[in-house]
Amino acid sequence: MPPKPGPHTARVTVRGVSLSVDTQGSSPTIVFVHGFPLDRSMWRALLPELPSWRRIAPDLPGMGSSAAPPGDWRMCDYADALAALLDALAVPQAVFCGLSMGGYVAFELVRRHAERLEALVLASTRAAADSPQARGARDDAIQLVAENGPAALVEPMLPRLLAPRSLSGSPHVVDHVRAMIAGNRREGVVAALRAMRERADATDLLATIAVPVLVVAGADDQIVPPAEARSMAQAISGARVTIVPEAGHLAPLEQPALVGRAIRGFLEGLG
Ligand code: MLT
């Protein structure tokens, strides 16, 4: 099941797509952009760690309980939708925190909407485009999901998304990740896989990022290992790095207090 609407959930239509958006708190604003194939509820444990911020967490188009994107969207379209969401919410500028696919969207925001960015938190993400092998794996995943639905991704993905300690010791996190993957809709997951497969390489963009950046990586992340996160941070002027112990690809779910502390420290340092 996609996440149910809560007391802070609104429907906002941008670029013809109706989005589910959770908003809590008052300014300054931080926008949380979830990873694949997840939804806005992935930030549930982290958000209370940042009580003095306006926290906006949308379901990306086609994910969670947001409507599917019309036609074949690219990563730039997801970024344009988030810029339009800021317009709709009358937010001129925000900190963006993107995890993995959310980071790919953040790179497109840097490319296309840099004036809307106050700072960036890049979590469990990479700047490089898909290798030919990774593109082939996207095609296999598209076929799997088209034939069997997103639930078919649960077993192959779970051990790659979570650290061994989370898999064995945090059944609530495992159940939550299962529910997010299986609760997504086929067309939205396929659209996201296509957009990730076609995304542009952002390596050259890193040196152009002119806002403060915090890079967050799980010490046990198999998808974006800490060494890759560190080298991405080295390519961004002044970027800070936090490596989160006993966390895999989904550190904000696995270690929300540690990730919250790192983000709070970063945000407080912005002045
Ligand atoms: C994610 O968490 O968004 C995915 O791991 C991104 C990807 O598959 O490249």
Side-chain angles (χ1 to χ4, degrees):
M1 289 284 289
K4 293 197 173 66
H8 307 292
T9 311
R11 297 293 298 187
V12 182
T13 298
V14 295
R15 303 192 68 210
V17 181
S18 168
L19 303 183
S20 270
V21 185
D22 286 341
T23 306
Q24 302 174 52
S26 52
S27 68
T29 301
I30 177 162
V31 180
F32 292 89
V33 191
H34 63 77
F36 171 89
L38 309 173
D39 62 50
R40 72 187 193 280
S41 74
M42 70 151 282
W43 304 109
R44 209 160 52 192
L46 177 66
L47 297 188
E49 303 288 333
L50 299 159
S52 53
W53 283 72
R54 183 181 191 197
R55 290 144 286 163
I56 298 177
D59 282 335
L60 284 171
M63 313 293 284
S65 45
S66 287
D72 214 4
W73 270 29
R74 294 287 179 264
M75 210 53 75
C76 56
D77 295 303
Y78 292 85
D80 289 354
L82 291 188
L85 177 63
L86 289 192
D87 292 340
L89 299 176
V91 177
Q93 222 183 27
V95 176
F96 275 81
C97 172
L99 182 132
S100 203
M101 178 181 168
Y104 308 157
V105 177
F107 290 132
E108 288 302 320
L109 284 162
V110 172
R111 230 188 275 281
R112 300 163 72 83
H113 302 283
E115 74 289 353
R116 310 306 292 267
L117 302 173
E118 191 183 341
L120 279 174
V121 180
L122 298 170
S124 312
T125 197
R126 61 162 52 92
D130 276 4
S131 64
Q133 189 192 8
R135 288 169 63 91
R138 300 284 189 209
D139 291 335
D140 294 344
I142 288 169
Q143 191 176 348
L144 183 69
V145 173
E147 288 172 4
N148 303 294
L153 293 176
V154 169
E155 293 314 323
M157 287 196 77
L158 259 183
R160 288 174 51 72
L161 289 173
L162 296 173
R165 188 186 158 108
S166 308
L167 286 165
S168 63
S170 301
H172 61 289
V173 172
V174 175
D175 289 349
H176 182 191
V177 175
R178 265 182 203 287
M180 283 191 283
I181 298 174
N184 267 308
R185 273 169 297 121
R186 202 178 294 240
E187 67 271 30
V189 171
V190 167
L193 283 163
R194 288 204 181 107
M196 289 193 289
R197 184 189 61 192
E198 301 305 323
R199 75 185 190 280
D201 194 294
T203 308
D204 288 347
L205 199 67
L206 299 177
T208 72
I209 297 178
V211 293
V213 174
L214 172 67
V215 171
V216 176
D220 302 325
D221 190 346
Q222 302 170 44
I223 298 175
V224 183
E228 187 174 353
R230 282 189 199 283
S231 86
M232 182 176 78
Q234 275 164 9
I236 304 171
S237 171
R240 290 166 58 167
V241 188
T242 294
I243 307 295
V244 185
E246 293 182 348
H249 193 57
L250 302 183
L253 283 103
E254 301 176 82
Q255 298 290 353
L258 295 181
V259 175
R261 192 196 305 161
I263 295 178
R264 270 196 317 274
F266 170 66
L267 296 176
E268 282 160 14
L270 297 181

